[in-house]
Amino acid sequence: MDFGVVLQTDPPAWRVVDLARRAESHGFSHGWTFDSHVLWQEPYVIYSQMLSATKRMIVGPMVTNPGTRDWTVTASLFATLNDMFGNRTACGIGRGDSAMRVIGQPPASLTTLGEAMAVIKDLAEGREALYNGTRQHFPWAGRSELKMLMAAYGPKALHLCGSRTDGFILQLADPIIARWTIAAVHRAAEEAGRDPESLYICVAAPAYVGDDIPHQREQCRWFGGMVGNHVADLVARYGDQGTGVPRELTDYIAGRQGYDYRGHGKAGHDHTDFVPDEIIDRFCLLGDEQDHLARLRELESLGVDQFAIYLMHDQKDETLNAYGQRIIPAMSNPQ
């Protein structure tokens, strides 16, 4: 299993760069950031420094969207970074939550997302793409490679992911939901005539190593609120029964009253009080190192290729150390 770290681009940006450098030294292969340019600093500027400060780490957004940047700009960003640093980028992408809603726009449709992914990947890999009725091509990008991973929860998004992308991002670590979503993505791949095993599966969730479970829950309750934004969209689209969406994913938002993006990805905001402890325990990795290893091995058995830690709590360095010194080495050794 690969390991990644997901960071917010809070100032100072050099702290983000330093965390990425330290993560690589601890065995993390991927460095991701949020892409929400109003709430935090612009990530693509920081990616250049992350890549410069590391030797092998793959970097990219978790996740970007089709709406806040022109697709040709996004493609050129990735292709340029790949030219500078040797194909060490990946594109996590979705419909857009905070980045779009904060500027008063709804998330993109799945149709738009599908079109954007194709244009971005083709251009970033040096192929010609049809965009706004024009044919575009980066003649200098012939050696660039860009893995396109899509974040998804609902049936239609999972189908698009399995049929059109290089991989799937599940933003929670519940094995029940992981099993259902991975199966849906694999079915879509098969229906499209693709090899399901070729898809790269990434699970991303907060991880906090320690013994004080109540404190860990309070530090990670924000995550249930963030996931709740996407779940609310699913319920609005499919109804309370979810039309096949597991109730383990949908039921918990019954008490949701709204969401304040000023507290997006941060502990201590009352707009996430509706999230029950059970959800935090299921969606996140909490507890001691053995608890983490047990969940990671279960996810690995379901076909997960990467676990990416949302490193947004008050024990960033301690969690990196615990993973780098003991958990990642333990996962590398066969049972």
Side-chain angles (χ1 to χ4, degrees):
M1 177 182 281
D2 296 332
F3 287 87
V5 59
V6 188
L7 305 167
Q8 285 176 341
T9 53
D10 288 311
W14 290 114
R15 169 64 168 160
V16 180
V17 175
D18 183 60
L19 285 169
R21 180 189 58 77
R22 293 188 59 238
E24 182 181 68
S25 72
H26 282 309
F28 288 80
S29 59
H30 289 69
W32 306 94
T33 75
F34 280 28
D35 179 9
S36 197
H37 61 287
V38 174
L39 297 179
W40 303 289
Q41 293 182 325
E42 167 57 35
Y44 286 90
V45 177
I46 300 171
Y47 293 159
S48 187
Q49 294 297 328
M50 291 169 65
L51 287 162
S52 182
T54 57
K55 296 179 179 179
R56 298 170 301 280
M57 177 174 276
I58 295 169
V59 308
M62 189 175 287
V63 294
T64 192
N65 67 84
T68 54
R69 291 181 177 83
D70 186 275
W71 305 347
T72 61
V73 172
T74 300
S76 185
L77 286 165
F78 283 115
T80 301
L81 291 172
N82 283 340
D83 182 63
M84 293 174 68
F85 297 102
N87 288 334
R88 289 171 52 204
T89 68
C91 181
I93 193 168
R95 294 175 57 230
D97 177 28
S98 64
M100 295 290 285
R101 288 183 164 122
V102 164
I103 61 173
Q105 296 184 24
S109 69
L110 289 176
T111 298
T112 298
L113 177 57
E115 293 171 354
M117 290 191 298
V119 168
I120 292 168
K121 183 173 175 66
D122 281 345
L123 288 177
E125 294 190 334
R127 294 185 294 276
E128 187 177 87
L130 184 65
Y131 178 66
N132 284 340
T134 67
R135 294 197 174 277
Q136 303 295 334
H137 175 233
F138 301 157
W140 46 270
R143 295 183 179 180
S144 174
E145 298 176 2
L146 181 66
K147 185 174 289 184
M148 183 74 64
L149 278 66
M150 179 181 158
Y153 294 104
K156 292 183 179 179
L158 292 167
H159 188 273
L160 174 62
C161 180
S163 59
R164 300 277 292 277
T165 74
D166 300 310
F168 167 47
I169 295 172
L170 175 62
Q171 292 168 305
L172 54 82
D174 182 345
I176 294 174
I177 298 170
R179 181 179 293 107
W180 178 77
T181 53
I182 292 170
V185 168
H186 281 176
R187 281 197 304 272
E190 289 178 348
E191 291 169 5
R194 309 176 72 204
D195 177 8
E197 298 303 319
S198 69
L199 295 176
Y200 187 84
I201 308 297
C202 175
V203 163
Y208 193 129
V209 181
D211 299 322
D212 188 347
I213 299 295
H215 178 72
Q216 293 180 14
R217 286 173 177 153
E218 292 311 310
Q219 286 289 303
C220 298
R221 197 174 301 274
W222 64 266
F223 185 68
M226 186 188 83
V227 173
N229 291 334
H230 304 286
V231 174
D233 287 345
L234 286 179
V235 171
R237 181 184 296 265
Y238 296 107
D240 290 340
Q241 299 305 311
T243 313
V245 178
R247 299 190 68 92
E248 289 86 353
L249 180 59
T250 59
D251 281 358
Y252 84 97
I253 68 163
R256 182 179 183 270
Q257 299 298 315
Y259 194 81
D260 184 352
Y261 281 96
R262 292 173 297 179
H264 193 56
K266 298 178 181 178
H269 289 262
D270 58 11
H271 68 275
T272 60
D273 287 349
F274 74 93
V275 180
D277 289 350
E278 176 198 0
I279 287 294
I280 305 167
D281 294 347
R282 283 173 35 209
F283 285 11
C284 306
L285 269 67
L286 310 179
D288 62 23
E289 293 172 10
Q290 292 306 311
D291 293 325
H292 285 244
L293 285 168
R295 180 76 66 86
L296 290 167
R297 286 170 178 145
E298 185 172 8
L299 292 170
E300 187 176 46
S301 74
L302 297 176
V304 174
D305 298 298
Q306 180 185 155
F307 176 66
I309 298 174
Y310 278 98
L311 198 66
M312 292 142 206
H313 50 61
D314 61 0
Q315 295 288 318
K316 294 180 178 65
D317 295 303
E318 293 83 352
T319 295
L320 277 182
N321 290 340
Y323 265 74
Q325 294 170 11
R326 292 175 293 278
I327 294 175
I328 293 176
M331 288 296 295
S332 300
N333 295 325
Q335 293 297 297

